[in-house]
Every structure is written in structure tokens, then in C-alpha cells.
Amino acid sequence: MTQLRLAFFASKRPEAQDALPELIRRYGQVSETDADAIVAIGGDGAMLDTLRRRFDDNKAVYGMHRGTVGFLMNDYSLDGLVERINAAERASIIPLRMIATDVHGKQHRALAINEVSLLRQTAQSARLKITVDDRIRMEELTCDGVMVATPAGSTAYNLSAHGPILPIGANLLALTPVSAFRPRRWKGALLRHDATVNIDVIAPDRRPVAAAADNQEVRDIVHVQVRESRDRRLTMLFDPGHALDERILREQFAF
């Protein structure tokens, strides 16, 4: 079996830092540029950090759980890593592209793997107008915020906000409010994966709102556009029987 060239990245957590030299000693270490695959060690944050560096080269990332939350990670073991990577199932992720315009008219662009979210900046609730594919769907949503989540991100912040869990192959996006006050009973919507969502902030001077593509935040925004970035794909590797679509399905039956 051909030896894979691996690049290891570890989060700052002590468990991940302790594992890093052991893995490098056993399997070697090359740069991410020269690697056949990238191994992220830690929790889901380490996986997301590693994936964000893959937007241009789409190299596959295999995660090993040595952190807090490990939904996107495989079990940790020093043994048989090359064999596990060679046998791994692939999950293809399409990120979201956020274009946020602030109160000064400046545009900010960022990619999100999990979700694009808008959240109030002060004690004042946010007031938002939502347009989907050039058709106004909600003239005014009063809330703490709202998000557009990918299937990969549907089990993260979206689930905490009581949004739906989406299978990886569903070709859907979740539009989910955060603490909707008016209309109080609105629980969100399921959108086609190729939908274009435009969100306008009503009265941004009195009710300021921040927008974030995952953890990349822009404050004092007036408008956000969200759509899939079809020219960018990310690849995650999972041990057989523990692929991302299976994990998402199991999560729907958890209680």
C-alpha cells in the first residue's frame, strides 16, 4: 500500500497537542501544499479551521477527535491511520457565499461552511426584511436574528435554534429564525439549495445588526446576500459506517 503524504494540524487543546507529535513520529509530516490528505486533530473547530484553508485546493480532510464537540470527527487512534484514510467515505460540502454591506456602503465577502447568521448587536431586537429569489417573503421579522444553514451546518447553531436537520444530499438550505418575536409562530423555511436569499436590516441606526459567515463577523450591516458558492467544494473523510449522512440521520432520532 502506497504511503500517503499527510499533513497534521492540531487545535490548541492539550489533548490535541499531546497527540500531534506521536502522529508525526509514526506517519511523518509534510506541508499542506505537498500533502495527499490533511488530518485535523481536535474538535469540530479544528475541522472547520482546516476546511477553510481548502477552498482553493479541495484536498480531503480527515478529522480525529481530541477536542470538545466531535460531530465532524472520527474516533482517535494512533494505529492504522493510512488504512483508515484509504478506506474512508467521502462527503462533499458546498459552502455559502456571504456578501454583507455595512452602513458605510462597504461590501464584505466571506465563505461559510455551516451557516451565515445575522444577530442583533444591542438589547434592541433586530428588524429584518427577507427576500428569496427576488420575491419578498417577509416584510418584517422582529427577532434576535436569523440564519441560512447548509446541510453540514444544520446540526450546529441551526439545530440549537430549533432549525431542521438536513441530510447531506437533500439539496436544501434551512432558513431559521433566532428567538422570533413577530411573527411569533414562524419557525423558518426550507429553501432550494440554489436559492438566493437577501436580507435587509430595517432601521440599522437604531437597531444595529452583525452578520457572520461561520465565525467571520461584520458589524453594523444594512444588507446581506447569501447563496451557494458552487465553484467551491470541500471534501471530508469519514470511517465506513460513520459517514456524515449517517451521523445526521442518527441525530434526528436522538432525544
Side-chain angles (χ1 to χ4, degrees):
M1 182 180 297
T2 303
Q3 181 70 31
L4 288 178
R5 296 173 299 172
L6 301 177
F8 292 94
F9 167 77
S11 72
K12 295 181 179 179
R13 290 189 62 87
E15 305 96 313
Q17 289 295 315
D18 289 345
L20 180 61
E22 290 296 320
L23 288 164
I24 292 175
R25 181 181 61 81
R26 184 170 297 196
Y27 298 102
Q29 169 83 309
V30 300
S31 68
E32 293 189 359
T33 301
D34 296 329
D36 298 313
I38 317 298
V39 179
I41 311 161
D44 287 351
M47 171 60 82
L48 293 174
D49 286 344
T50 306
L51 285 172
R52 289 187 190 101
R53 299 195 297 276
R54 307 275 70 78
F55 283 130
D56 292 326
D57 61 30
N58 191 26
K59 291 187 177 182
V61 180
Y62 182 91
M64 300 187 79
H65 186 207
R66 299 298 282 171
T68 305
V69 179
F71 188 83
L72 301 177
M73 313 300 273
N74 299 286
D75 291 338
Y76 173 75
S77 175
L78 277 173
D79 300 326
L81 178 58
V82 172
E83 291 78 8
R84 291 172 71 183
I85 291 175
N86 282 326
E89 299 177 9
R90 290 176 171 253
S92 182
I93 308 298
I94 300 175
L96 297 174
R97 182 178 300 278
M98 176 186 80
I99 304 176
T101 305
D102 65 25
V103 294
H104 305 292
K106 182 179 179 180
Q107 285 192 340
H108 307 263
R109 298 170 183 264
L111 295 172
I113 299 167
N114 278 350
E115 76 279 319
V116 172
S117 57
L118 286 77
L119 295 170
R120 62 184 175 92
Q121 291 179 197
T122 68
Q124 292 272 42
S125 58
R127 294 171 59 198
L128 308 171
K129 182 175 75 172
I130 299 175
T131 304
V132 180
D133 292 333
D134 298 322
R135 183 172 178 180
I136 297 173
R137 292 295 181 178
M138 188 166 290
E139 286 283 357
E140 183 173 326
L141 170 65
T142 304
C143 57
D144 283 354
V146 71
M147 75 187 77
V148 181
T150 66
S154 67
T155 56
Y157 186 23
N158 173 74
L159 181 59
S160 298
H162 308 291
I165 297 174
L166 303 178
I168 285 297
N171 286 329
L172 293 170
L173 300 174
L175 178 64
T176 302
V178 180
S179 301
F181 177 70
R182 187 178 295 116
R184 197 179 297 271
R185 291 184 295 172
W186 188 62
K187 302 300 182 183
L190 293 175
L191 308 177
R192 285 171 50 108
H193 70 97
D194 55 356
T196 299
V197 182
N198 285 281
I199 304 172
D200 292 287
V201 179
I202 301 171
D205 54 333
R206 292 183 287 108
R207 298 173 181 265
V209 172
D214 291 339
N215 63 352
Q216 304 164 87
E217 185 183 72
V218 181
R219 297 178 71 81
D220 299 315
I221 57 103
V222 297
H223 177 83
V224 172
Q225 183 185 88
V226 184
R227 64 166 67 179
E228 278 189 336
S229 183
R230 303 294 296 182
D231 60 333
R232 306 292 182 97
R233 286 181 180 267
L234 301 170
T235 301
M236 301 169 64
L237 300 175
F238 294 95
D239 292 332
H242 298 279
L244 189 55
D245 53 355
E246 171 62 22
R247 295 177 186 211
I248 289 174
L249 182 60
R250 289 202 305 265
E251 191 72 22
Q252 295 182 72
F253 290 90
F255 56 89

PDB file of all heavy atoms in Angstrom, residues 78-101:
ATOM      1  N   LEU A  78      -4.010   5.909  17.304  1.00  0.00           N
ATOM      2  CA  LEU A  78      -2.700   6.020  16.660  1.00  0.00           C
ATOM      3  C   LEU A  78      -2.502   4.992  15.557  1.00  0.00           C
ATOM      4  O   LEU A  78      -1.721   5.189  14.639  1.00  0.00           O
ATOM      5  CB  LEU A  78      -1.595   5.846  17.704  1.00  0.00           C
ATOM      6  CG  LEU A  78      -1.195   7.066  18.534  1.00  0.00           C
ATOM      7  CD1 LEU A  78      -0.208   6.656  19.614  1.00  0.00           C
ATOM      8  CD2 LEU A  78      -0.607   8.158  17.655  1.00  0.00           C
ATOM      9  N   ASP A  79      -3.225   3.892  15.643  1.00  0.00           N
ATOM     10  CA  ASP A  79      -2.973   2.760  14.756  1.00  0.00           C
ATOM     11  C   ASP A  79      -3.798   2.841  13.474  1.00  0.00           C
ATOM     12  O   ASP A  79      -4.940   3.303  13.475  1.00  0.00           O
ATOM     13  CB  ASP A  79      -3.303   1.447  15.472  1.00  0.00           C
ATOM     14  CG  ASP A  79      -2.463   1.243  16.719  1.00  0.00           C
ATOM     15  OD1 ASP A  79      -1.294   1.673  16.711  1.00  0.00           O
ATOM     16  OD2 ASP A  79      -2.986   0.674  17.699  1.00  0.00           O
ATOM     17  N   GLY A  80      -3.193   2.370  12.375  1.00  0.00           N
ATOM     18  CA  GLY A  80      -3.918   2.148  11.129  1.00  0.00           C
ATOM     19  C   GLY A  80      -4.468   3.383  10.457  1.00  0.00           C
ATOM     20  O   GLY A  80      -5.462   3.299   9.723  1.00  0.00           O
ATOM     21  N   LEU A  81      -3.824   4.528  10.640  1.00  0.00           N
ATOM     22  CA  LEU A  81      -4.374   5.764  10.093  1.00  0.00           C
ATOM     23  C   LEU A  81      -4.402   5.755   8.566  1.00  0.00           C
ATOM     24  O   LEU A  81      -5.402   6.145   7.958  1.00  0.00           O
ATOM     25  CB  LEU A  81      -3.576   6.971  10.603  1.00  0.00           C
ATOM     26  CG  LEU A  81      -4.029   8.344  10.071  1.00  0.00           C
ATOM     27  CD1 LEU A  81      -5.494   8.598  10.405  1.00  0.00           C
ATOM     28  CD2 LEU A  81      -3.144   9.450  10.635  1.00  0.00           C
ATOM     29  N   VAL A  82      -3.328   5.308   7.940  1.00  0.00           N
ATOM     30  CA  VAL A  82      -3.279   5.291   6.474  1.00  0.00           C
ATOM     31  C   VAL A  82      -4.367   4.385   5.915  1.00  0.00           C
ATOM     32  O   VAL A  82      -5.070   4.745   4.950  1.00  0.00           O
ATOM     33  CB  VAL A  82      -1.893   4.845   5.980  1.00  0.00           C
ATOM     34  CG1 VAL A  82      -1.896   4.632   4.465  1.00  0.00           C
ATOM     35  CG2 VAL A  82      -0.840   5.882   6.355  1.00  0.00           C
ATOM     36  N   GLU A  83      -4.543   3.223   6.523  1.00  0.00           N
ATOM     37  CA  GLU A  83      -5.588   2.306   6.072  1.00  0.00           C
ATOM     38  C   GLU A  83      -6.972   2.920   6.252  1.00  0.00           C
ATOM     39  O   GLU A  83      -7.855   2.761   5.396  1.00  0.00           O
ATOM     40  CB  GLU A  83      -5.490   0.985   6.836  1.00  0.00           C
ATOM     41  CG  GLU A  83      -4.266   0.140   6.516  1.00  0.00           C
ATOM     42  CD  GLU A  83      -2.994   0.642   7.203  1.00  0.00           C
ATOM     43  OE1 GLU A  83      -3.094   1.557   8.052  1.00  0.00           O
ATOM     44  OE2 GLU A  83      -1.917   0.108   6.894  1.00  0.00           O
ATOM     45  N   ARG A  84      -7.181   3.618   7.346  1.00  0.00           N
ATOM     46  CA  ARG A  84      -8.483   4.252   7.592  1.00  0.00           C
ATOM     47  C   ARG A  84      -8.763   5.339   6.556  1.00  0.00           C
ATOM     48  O   ARG A  84      -9.895   5.466   6.064  1.00  0.00           O
ATOM     49  CB  ARG A  84      -8.528   4.843   9.004  1.00  0.00           C
ATOM     50  CG  ARG A  84      -8.538   3.795  10.097  1.00  0.00           C
ATOM     51  CD  ARG A  84      -8.383   4.422  11.476  1.00  0.00           C
ATOM     52  NE  ARG A  84      -9.589   5.166  11.876  1.00  0.00           N
ATOM     53  CZ  ARG A  84      -9.675   5.855  13.009  1.00  0.00           C
ATOM     54  NH1 ARG A  84      -8.625   5.932  13.832  1.00  0.00           N
ATOM     55  NH2 ARG A  84     -10.788   6.485  13.316  1.00  0.00           N
ATOM     56  N   ILE A  85      -7.764   6.129   6.236  1.00  0.00           N
ATOM     57  CA  ILE A  85      -7.954   7.190   5.246  1.00  0.00           C
ATOM     58  C   ILE A  85      -8.224   6.598   3.868  1.00  0.00           C
ATOM     59  O   ILE A  85      -9.103   7.064   3.127  1.00  0.00           O
ATOM     60  CB  ILE A  85      -6.730   8.130   5.227  1.00  0.00           C
ATOM     61  CG1 ILE A  85      -6.665   8.928   6.531  1.00  0.00           C
ATOM     62  CG2 ILE A  85      -6.790   9.073   4.030  1.00  0.00           C
ATOM     63  CD1 ILE A  85      -5.436   9.802   6.662  1.00  0.00           C
ATOM     64  N   ASN A  86      -7.500   5.555   3.503  1.00  0.00           N
ATOM     65  CA  ASN A  86      -7.717   4.929   2.195  1.00  0.00           C
ATOM     66  C   ASN A  86      -9.105   4.319   2.074  1.00  0.00           C
ATOM     67  O   ASN A  86      -9.678   4.256   0.976  1.00  0.00           O
ATOM     68  CB  ASN A  86      -6.656   3.854   1.944  1.00  0.00           C
ATOM     69  CG  ASN A  86      -5.320   4.439   1.516  1.00  0.00           C
ATOM     70  OD1 ASN A  86      -5.283   5.459   0.829  1.00  0.00           O
ATOM     71  ND2 ASN A  86      -4.226   3.810   1.916  1.00  0.00           N
ATOM     72  N   ALA A  87      -9.662   3.858   3.184  1.00  0.00           N
ATOM     73  CA  ALA A  87     -10.980   3.214   3.165  1.00  0.00           C
ATOM     74  C   ALA A  87     -12.118   4.183   3.458  1.00  0.00           C
ATOM     75  O   ALA A  87     -13.291   3.791   3.445  1.00  0.00           O
ATOM     76  CB  ALA A  87     -11.007   2.077   4.188  1.00  0.00           C
ATOM     77  N   ALA A  88     -11.799   5.442   3.712  1.00  0.00           N
ATOM     78  CA  ALA A  88     -12.805   6.398   4.184  1.00  0.00           C
ATOM     79  C   ALA A  88     -13.835   6.736   3.113  1.00  0.00           C
ATOM     80  O   ALA A  88     -13.558   6.705   1.903  1.00  0.00           O
ATOM     81  CB  ALA A  88     -12.119   7.678   4.656  1.00  0.00           C
ATOM     82  N   GLU A  89     -15.042   7.042   3.571  1.00  0.00           N
ATOM     83  CA  GLU A  89     -16.106   7.539   2.709  1.00  0.00           C
ATOM     84  C   GLU A  89     -16.004   9.057   2.607  1.00  0.00           C
ATOM     85  O   GLU A  89     -15.667   9.730   3.578  1.00  0.00           O
ATOM     86  CB  GLU A  89     -17.469   7.132   3.271  1.00  0.00           C
ATOM     87  CG  GLU A  89     -17.653   5.627   3.366  1.00  0.00           C
ATOM     88  CD  GLU A  89     -18.977   5.250   3.990  1.00  0.00           C
ATOM     89  OE1 GLU A  89     -19.818   6.147   4.198  1.00  0.00           O
ATOM     90  OE2 GLU A  89     -19.173   4.048   4.270  1.00  0.00           O
ATOM     91  N   ARG A  90     -16.322   9.564   1.434  1.00  0.00           N
ATOM     92  CA  ARG A  90     -16.178  10.995   1.170  1.00  0.00           C
ATOM     93  C   ARG A  90     -17.525  11.711   1.305  1.00  0.00           C
ATOM     94  O   ARG A  90     -18.557  11.186   0.887  1.00  0.00           O
ATOM     95  CB  ARG A  90     -15.619  11.240  -0.233  1.00  0.00           C
ATOM     96  CG  ARG A  90     -14.162  10.827  -0.359  1.00  0.00           C
ATOM     97  CD  ARG A  90     -13.640  10.971  -1.774  1.00  0.00           C
ATOM     98  NE  ARG A  90     -12.195  10.763  -1.790  1.00  0.00           N
ATOM     99  CZ  ARG A  90     -11.308  11.716  -1.959  1.00  0.00           C
ATOM    100  NH1 ARG A  90     -11.703  12.964  -2.153  1.00  0.00           N
ATOM    101  NH2 ARG A  90     -10.014  11.452  -1.940  1.00  0.00           N
ATOM    102  N   ALA A  91     -17.489  12.888   1.882  1.00  0.00           N
ATOM    103  CA  ALA A  91     -18.660  13.771   1.940  1.00  0.00           C
ATOM    104  C   ALA A  91     -18.272  15.091   1.290  1.00  0.00           C
ATOM    105  O   ALA A  91     -17.272  15.710   1.664  1.00  0.00           O
ATOM    106  CB  ALA A  91     -19.095  13.997   3.379  1.00  0.00           C
ATOM    107  N   SER A  92     -19.038  15.494   0.283  1.00  0.00           N
ATOM    108  CA  SER A  92     -18.764  16.732  -0.437  1.00  0.00           C
ATOM    109  C   SER A  92     -19.614  17.860   0.136  1.00  0.00           C
ATOM    110  O   SER A  92     -20.835  17.719   0.265  1.00  0.00           O
ATOM    111  CB  SER A  92     -19.050  16.553  -1.931  1.00  0.00           C
ATOM    112  OG  SER A  92     -18.756  17.735  -2.654  1.00  0.00           O
ATOM    113  N   ILE A  93     -18.986  18.960   0.482  1.00  0.00           N
ATOM    114  CA  ILE A  93     -19.648  20.097   1.114  1.00  0.00           C
ATOM    115  C   ILE A  93     -19.540  21.314   0.193  1.00  0.00           C
ATOM    116  O   ILE A  93     -18.451  21.642  -0.287  1.00  0.00           O
ATOM    117  CB  ILE A  93     -19.006  20.435   2.476  1.00  0.00           C
ATOM    118  CG1 ILE A  93     -18.928  19.193   3.362  1.00  0.00           C
ATOM    119  CG2 ILE A  93     -19.760  21.561   3.151  1.00  0.00           C
ATOM    120  CD1 ILE A  93     -20.254  18.601   3.719  1.00  0.00           C
ATOM    121  N   ILE A  94     -20.665  21.965  -0.051  1.00  0.00           N
ATOM    122  CA  ILE A  94     -20.671  23.208  -0.819  1.00  0.00           C
ATOM    123  C   ILE A  94     -20.900  24.366   0.150  1.00  0.00           C
ATOM    124  O   ILE A  94     -21.926  24.407   0.830  1.00  0.00           O
ATOM    125  CB  ILE A  94     -21.760  23.200  -1.902  1.00  0.00           C
ATOM    126  CG1 ILE A  94     -21.522  22.041  -2.875  1.00  0.00           C
ATOM    127  CG2 ILE A  94     -21.783  24.535  -2.653  1.00  0.00           C
ATOM    128  CD1 ILE A  94     -22.619  21.884  -3.900  1.00  0.00           C
ATOM    129  N   PRO A  95     -19.983  25.305   0.233  1.00  0.00           N
ATOM    130  CA  PRO A  95     -20.143  26.410   1.191  1.00  0.00           C
ATOM    131  C   PRO A  95     -21.115  27.466   0.700  1.00  0.00           C
ATOM    132  O   PRO A  95     -21.533  27.475  -0.466  1.00  0.00           O
ATOM    133  CB  PRO A  95     -18.722  26.976   1.291  1.00  0.00           C
ATOM    134  CG  PRO A  95     -18.123  26.697  -0.058  1.00  0.00           C
ATOM    135  CD  PRO A  95     -18.709  25.385  -0.505  1.00  0.00           C
ATOM    136  N   LEU A  96     -21.461  28.362   1.604  1.00  0.00           N
ATOM    137  CA  LEU A  96     -22.273  29.527   1.279  1.00  0.00           C
ATOM    138  C   LEU A  96     -21.371  30.745   1.089  1.00  0.00           C
ATOM    139  O   LEU A  96     -20.357  30.894   1.780  1.00  0.00           O
ATOM    140  CB  LEU A  96     -23.270  29.818   2.404  1.00  0.00           C
ATOM    141  CG  LEU A  96     -24.321  28.751   2.692  1.00  0.00           C
ATOM    142  CD1 LEU A  96     -25.132  29.147   3.927  1.00  0.00           C
ATOM    143  CD2 LEU A  96     -25.229  28.541   1.497  1.00  0.00           C
ATOM    144  N   ARG A  97     -21.770  31.601   0.167  1.00  0.00           N
ATOM    145  CA  ARG A  97     -21.057  32.870  -0.026  1.00  0.00           C
ATOM    146  C   ARG A  97     -21.904  33.998   0.550  1.00  0.00           C
ATOM    147  O   ARG A  97     -23.069  34.157   0.195  1.00  0.00           O
ATOM    148  CB  ARG A  97     -20.785  33.130  -1.503  1.00  0.00           C
ATOM    149  CG  ARG A  97     -20.006  34.428  -1.761  1.00  0.00           C
ATOM    150  CD  ARG A  97     -19.723  34.625  -3.228  1.00  0.00           C
ATOM    151  NE  ARG A  97     -18.928  33.548  -3.765  1.00  0.00           N
ATOM    152  CZ  ARG A  97     -17.604  33.450  -3.657  1.00  0.00           C
ATOM    153  NH1 ARG A  97     -16.941  34.380  -2.982  1.00  0.00           N
ATOM    154  NH2 ARG A  97     -16.962  32.443  -4.198  1.00  0.00           N
ATOM    155  N   MET A  98     -21.313  34.750   1.468  1.00  0.00           N
ATOM    156  CA  MET A  98     -21.973  35.912   2.064  1.00  0.00           C
ATOM    157  C   MET A  98     -21.398  37.196   1.477  1.00  0.00           C
ATOM    158  O   MET A  98     -20.175  37.359   1.401  1.00  0.00           O
ATOM    159  CB  MET A  98     -21.765  35.929   3.588  1.00  0.00           C
ATOM    160  CG  MET A  98     -22.345  37.162   4.269  1.00  0.00           C
ATOM    161  SD  MET A  98     -21.944  37.253   6.052  1.00  0.00           S
ATOM    162  CE  MET A  98     -20.238  37.890   5.977  1.00  0.00           C
ATOM    163  N   ILE A  99     -22.285  38.081   1.038  1.00  0.00           N
ATOM    164  CA  ILE A  99     -21.894  39.441   0.661  1.00  0.00           C
ATOM    165  C   ILE A  99     -22.666  40.377   1.587  1.00  0.00           C
ATOM    166  O   ILE A  99     -23.888  40.503   1.484  1.00  0.00           O
ATOM    167  CB  ILE A  99     -22.202  39.760  -0.804  1.00  0.00           C
ATOM    168  CG1 ILE A  99     -21.548  38.736  -1.738  1.00  0.00           C
ATOM    169  CG2 ILE A  99     -21.742  41.175  -1.142  1.00  0.00           C
ATOM    170  CD1 ILE A  99     -21.896  38.941  -3.212  1.00  0.00           C
ATOM    171  N   ALA A 100     -21.951  40.990   2.518  1.00  0.00           N
ATOM    172  CA  ALA A 100     -22.578  41.858   3.517  1.00  0.00           C
ATOM    173  C   ALA A 100     -22.171  43.309   3.244  1.00  0.00           C
ATOM    174  O   ALA A 100     -20.987  43.610   3.061  1.00  0.00           O
ATOM    175  CB  ALA A 100     -22.155  41.448   4.923  1.00  0.00           C
ATOM    176  N   THR A 101     -23.161  44.186   3.235  1.00  0.00           N
ATOM    177  CA  THR A 101     -22.920  45.614   3.028  1.00  0.00           C
ATOM    178  C   THR A 101     -23.147  46.338   4.351  1.00  0.00           C
ATOM    179  O   THR A 101     -24.204  46.177   4.974  1.00  0.00           O
ATOM    180  CB  THR A 101     -23.865  46.180   1.959  1.00  0.00           C
ATOM    181  OG1 THR A 101     -23.738  45.427   0.748  1.00  0.00           O
ATOM    182  CG2 THR A 101     -23.541  47.644   1.682  1.00  0.00           C
TER     183      THR A 101
END
